[in-house]
Amino acid sequence: MEFAHESEAEFARILDFYGISWLYEPSSFPLRRKGERILEAFTPDFFLPDLNLYVELTTLRQKLTTEKNRKVRLLRELYPQVNIKLLNRRDYLRLLAKYGYGPPDAKKVPEIDRVLASARQIQRRVAELGAQISRDYSGQAPVAVGILKGVFFFMADLLRHTSLPVSVDFMAISSYEGDSGGAVKILKDLDLSITDQHVLLVEDIVDTGMTLNRVLERLRSHRPASLKVCALLDKRARRLVDVPLDYVGFEVPDEFVVGYGLDYQQRYRNLPFIGVLKQEALS
Ligand code: 5GP
């Protein structure tokens, strides 16, 4: 497959890794016509048929981004049924940073820009979630499944606040690493059987939703009696795969966050609060 830019090839590899099918530039949408003649058209970079979503990457200069924004606006006006998402340079760099492509110079590893949720706020919210889960599962003995590693603080605190005879299990999955090929791998599978059990999947953060989507598929294949999701953080603005979240701790803005289990290149997990890394660290 010939891509116009390396960023598109990389994006395609990320989608492959997460088992999301894609088509490259499959359709052009006329934006301006004069009679029969098409004066202007727009061809989004990708179409993701499973998600019914078009994605346009703009990793280029600001002037071109402005032009693309205009086209996407026009496309949305003319074809309201078309679902399109524009990933700009910042989004794209964050996507890469998430997979370990950080700033090249380790000395530039950033410090915290600001705190989004203090230790006290986290504890209060986690206690509320624990109480709500205890009410909702009253009379049941659910299996809580955590996805390693980021979830370890949250899982421990959440379960301390539930008054249920809960079982605990963990899964570890591989995350996307460059163009090594392959797909999401289960590095550690469940120890417990979840067939006919009430399962609560516990996640640290849901960003694009691709990880969660993959894990949910896997868990559903074991035919649990029920399957719900509890995520500490919801970065809703960045969702590509629409996954249902039953319990959410905090909605966070479209920024890279660390602390309370979440890392940046394996650091910062032990911070008791959740904070945003300085912008320049990711660009
Ligand atoms: P998704 O598949 O939803 O895009 O990504 C989910 C995973 O990406 C999370 O489990 C987490 O490991 C990682 N992730 C997404 N956003 C952030 C973030 O802002 N900070 C950190 N540290 N990890 C993130």
Side-chain angles (χ1 to χ4, degrees):
M1 169 66 75
E2 283 281 311
F3 291 100
H5 299 281
E6 177 48 30
S7 57
E8 294 168 354
E10 187 67 51
F11 186 63
R13 288 195 288 265
I14 293 174
L15 294 172
D16 281 345
F17 183 81
Y18 286 102
I20 293 170
S21 50
W22 52 268
L23 299 167
Y24 183 59
E25 297 189 336
S27 7
S28 284
F29 297 91
L31 296 181
R32 260 187 326 127
R33 296 171 187 270
K34 193 170 185 188
E36 286 296 287
R37 258 183 51 219
I38 295 169
L39 298 180
E40 188 180 16
F42 183 51
T43 309
D45 295 324
F46 287 91
F47 179 60
L48 317 182
D50 303 340
L51 315 179
N52 188 24
L53 174 69
Y54 285 89
V55 173
E56 175 70 11
L57 296 181
T58 67
T59 60
L60 306 161
R61 277 168 291 131
Q62 187 55 42
K63 213 174 130 201
L64 294 168
T65 304
T66 312
E67 175 60 11
K68 281 200 180 176
N69 274 322
R70 182 189 68 80
K71 286 193 170 185
V72 168
R73 250 198 324 272
L74 201 54
L75 181 106
R76 283 189 179 131
E77 268 170 42
L78 293 172
Y79 306 90
Q81 75 286 6
V82 169
N83 188 13
I84 182 161
K85 191 137 191 167
L86 195 76
L87 295 188
N88 63 28
R89 186 178 148 76
R90 218 180 48 154
D91 297 327
Y92 180 71
L93 288 172
R94 278 208 206 109
L95 200 63
L96 288 186
K98 207 179 89 178
Y99 297 117
Y101 298 79
D105 181 357
K107 280 190 232 106
K108 280 197 198 139
V109 171
E111 290 309 308
I112 302 298
D113 181 46
R114 64 186 200 283
V115 172
L116 280 186
S118 67
R120 189 185 286 229
Q121 285 168 328
I122 295 171
Q123 290 312 319
R124 201 178 313 135
R125 184 69 190 122
V126 172
E128 283 170 7
L129 286 176
Q132 195 186 338
I133 287 167
S134 303
R135 280 195 300 276
D136 293 353
Y137 284 89
S138 164
Q140 295 172 347
V143 183
V145 174
I147 308 295
L148 294 170
K149 300 180 193 171
V151 82
F152 73 108
F153 275 19
F154 178 44
M155 183 86 157
D157 287 345
L158 181 71
L159 297 187
R160 253 183 286 221
H161 287 288
T162 54
S163 51
L164 297 164
V166 67
S167 317
V168 181
D169 209 342
F170 290 98
M171 285 174 76
I173 54 173
S174 59
S175 51
Y176 179 77
E177 281 171 13
D179 56 359
S180 53
V184 176
K185 280 197 207 67
I186 309 291
L187 303 177
K188 188 218 162 286
D189 209 343
L190 297 173
D191 298 324
L192 305 174
S193 164
I194 57 163
T195 306
D196 299 329
Q197 299 294 313
H198 295 287
V199 175
L200 179 66
L201 181 68
V202 185
E203 255 283 39
D204 50 2
I205 182 164
V206 183
D207 183 11
T208 64
M210 293 199 284
T211 305
L212 186 57
N213 181 52
R214 213 60 184 149
V215 171
L216 286 176
E217 274 174 15
R218 172 102 186 167
L219 294 181
R220 274 190 213 108
S221 73
H222 292 287
R223 284 175 284 105
S226 70
L227 180 56
K228 286 191 182 180
V229 180
C230 175
L232 175 66
L233 305 175
D234 180 4
K235 210 190 273 185
R236 203 164 296 173
R238 300 233 318 149
R239 200 74 91 249
L240 289 178
V241 188
D242 194 17
V243 279
L245 303 182
D246 301 281
Y247 306 96
V248 171
F250 303 92
E251 192 175 329
V252 287
D254 180 8
E255 290 178 282
F256 195 82
V257 300
V258 292
Y260 195 62
L262 288 151
D263 73 312
Y264 177 64
Q265 297 182 338
Q266 298 305 324
R267 288 183 57 200
Y268 307 109
R269 288 194 200 273
N270 56 335
L271 298 177
F273 56 85
I274 294 163
V276 177
L277 282 183
K278 279 183 183 160
Q279 269 300 314
E280 58 268 28
L282 299 172
S283 50

